């Protein structure tokens, strides 16, 4: 039995005037979403085993941003696993964010949590960092990590989506371009895999492919839209930030979305 919160794409920034140069619509500062998230987690009336952050912890890789992220996450009592995303510096994250067993930064890793194998794949890749191609040696490493989990359920953590969604801007411009290779490895272990949890695309997206469940949580900052034939990403200003509650019971995976209220509401 496992219960955790899935958060992603917080884009924490120490610059109070930060505006994303790649975003063509005006949205609130990302730290407002984080403040709202912290209040929501503080107000939870049920316990969780840990918080999972699937990347883009900070808006840009700077010491000041990661120091602020550490200060913010210090307010949380729950253990936390964080996987860097394409906006992050994995090395800075590992140097600044960890706090012993309470807060850990993942790489290509295998952790055992309450009897569940938590296996992560770091999202740097090669080529364009927004839709990378995973190198052969990293695919081999991922396969080796899966082989370490011969018994018991497997929970996979990633920043980027693996499989196609039917939305062109995600499939061709935000996905691991050879993600099918990773998916094939999971299909061979589908009796054990309880889910793949990822971020990057700033929206709730649940898919079921060849017996594997894929689940993306909303960004705490802002969300993107996604529909058939959509060629370019566009901000969804009608959908608030949020996070997911994930409950895994044996081989059953239940995911519930929580929307975040405005700060101070």
């Amino acid at each position: 039995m496992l219960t955790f919160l899935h958060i992603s794409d917080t884009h924490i920034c120490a610059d109070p005037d930060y505006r994303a140069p790649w975003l063509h619509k005006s949205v609130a500062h990302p730290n407002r979403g984080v403040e709202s998230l912290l209040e929501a987690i503080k107000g939870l009336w049920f316990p969780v085993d840990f918080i999972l952050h699937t990347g883009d912890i900070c808006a840009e890789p700077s010491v000041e941003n990661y120091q602020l992220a550490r200060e913010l996450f210090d307010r949380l009592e729950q253990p936390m696993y964080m996987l860097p995303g394409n906006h992050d510096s994995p090395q800075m994250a590992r140097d600044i964010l960890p706090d012993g067993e309470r807060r850990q930064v993942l790489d290509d890793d295998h952790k055992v949590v309450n009897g569940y194998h938590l296996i992560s794949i770091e999202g740097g890749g090669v080529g364009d960092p927004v839709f990378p191609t995973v190198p052969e040696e990293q695919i081999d490493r991922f396969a080796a990590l899966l082989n370490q989990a011969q018994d018991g359920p497997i929970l996979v953590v990633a920043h980027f989506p693996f499989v196609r969604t039917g939305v062109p801007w995600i499939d061709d411009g935000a996905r691991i371009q050879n993600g099918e290779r990773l998916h094939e490895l999971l299909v061979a272990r589908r009796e054990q895999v309880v889910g793949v949890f990822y971020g990057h695309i700033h929206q709730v997206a649940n898919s079921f492919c060849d017996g594997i469940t894929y689940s993306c949580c909303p960004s705490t900052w802002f969300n993107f839209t996604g529909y058939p034939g959509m060629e370019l990403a566009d901000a969804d200003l009608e959908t608030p930030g949020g996070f997911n509650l994930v409950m895994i019971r044996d081989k059953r995976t239940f995911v519930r979305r929580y929307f975040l209220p405005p700060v101070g509401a």
Side-chain angles (χ1 to χ4, degrees):
M1 186 170 73
L2 202 63
T3 303
F4 65 92
L5 303 181
H6 179 194
I7 69 174
S8 197
D9 298 273
T10 48
H11 290 255
I12 294 166
C13 188
D15 179 1
D17 298 318
Y18 172 75
R19 293 292 181 270
W22 43 269
L23 187 60
H24 303 299
K25 288 185 177 179
S26 178
V27 298
H29 193 281
N31 294 3
R32 291 189 61 192
V34 178
E35 292 283 355
S36 187
L37 171 74
L38 297 178
E39 286 298 314
I41 294 176
K42 182 180 177 181
L44 292 177
W45 58 95
F46 52 84
V48 299
D49 295 302
F50 59 86
I51 299 169
L52 174 66
H53 194 314
T54 51
D56 286 353
I57 302 162
C58 291
E60 297 173 351
S62 74
V63 171
E64 293 79 12
N65 287 348
Y66 287 104
Q67 287 175 337
L68 176 58
R70 182 183 176 99
E71 292 173 13
L72 291 168
F73 293 147
D74 274 345
R75 301 184 199 173
L76 297 172
E77 298 177 356
Q78 297 87 347
M80 193 171 185
Y81 295 99
M82 295 173 281
L83 182 70
N86 56 294
H87 282 270
D88 289 308
S89 161
Q91 189 59 56
M92 283 187 185
R94 283 191 287 270
D95 288 345
I96 298 172
L97 293 177
D99 181 15
E101 291 296 313
R102 189 169 73 98
R103 190 166 57 235
Q104 301 180 47
V105 176
L106 303 173
D107 195 345
D108 292 336
D109 272 322
H110 173 210
K111 308 278 186 183
V112 179
V113 183
N114 292 6
Y116 286 78
H117 299 278
L118 192 155
I119 295 176
S120 58
I121 180 166
E122 201 277 318
V126 295
D128 193 310
V130 181
F131 47 103
T133 299
V134 174
E136 286 297 321
E137 56 268 26
Q138 192 173 19
I139 294 176
D140 292 341
R141 192 156 58 244
F142 185 67
L145 291 172
L146 288 172
N147 286 334
Q148 292 177 9
Q150 289 300 316
D151 298 303
I154 296 172
L155 185 155
V156 177
V157 181
H159 178 61
F160 299 94
F162 291 2
V163 297
R164 293 186 176 276
T165 64
V167 181
W169 80 259
I170 296 175
D171 296 343
D172 302 326
R175 183 183 66 93
I176 292 177
Q177 295 302 287
N178 56 347
E180 291 82 1
R181 297 282 305 283
L182 302 171
H183 176 70
E184 289 168 3
L185 293 172
L186 297 180
V187 171
R189 308 291 291 277
R190 60 185 159 200
E191 292 301 316
Q192 288 179 265
V193 178
V194 295
V196 180
F197 300 89
Y198 66 98
H200 186 55
I201 60 174
H202 288 231
Q203 60 192 274
V204 174
N206 298 310
S207 57
F208 189 73
C209 183
D210 299 321
I212 305 297
T213 298
Y214 290 87
S215 179
C216 182
C217 70
S219 167
T220 57
W221 178 22
F222 79 93
N223 287 290
F224 284 121
T225 56
Y227 50 79
M230 186 178 183
E231 298 286 347
L232 298 175
D234 193 18
D236 177 3
L237 301 183
E238 301 300 318
T239 301
F243 62 95
N244 284 350
L245 165 68
V246 182
M247 298 169 57
I248 301 175
R249 304 294 186 266
D250 298 322
K251 294 184 179 180
R252 303 188 306 276
T253 301
F254 174 83
V255 180
R256 188 183 192 281
R257 173 178 51 189
Y258 281 77
F259 287 122
L260 292 172
V263 175

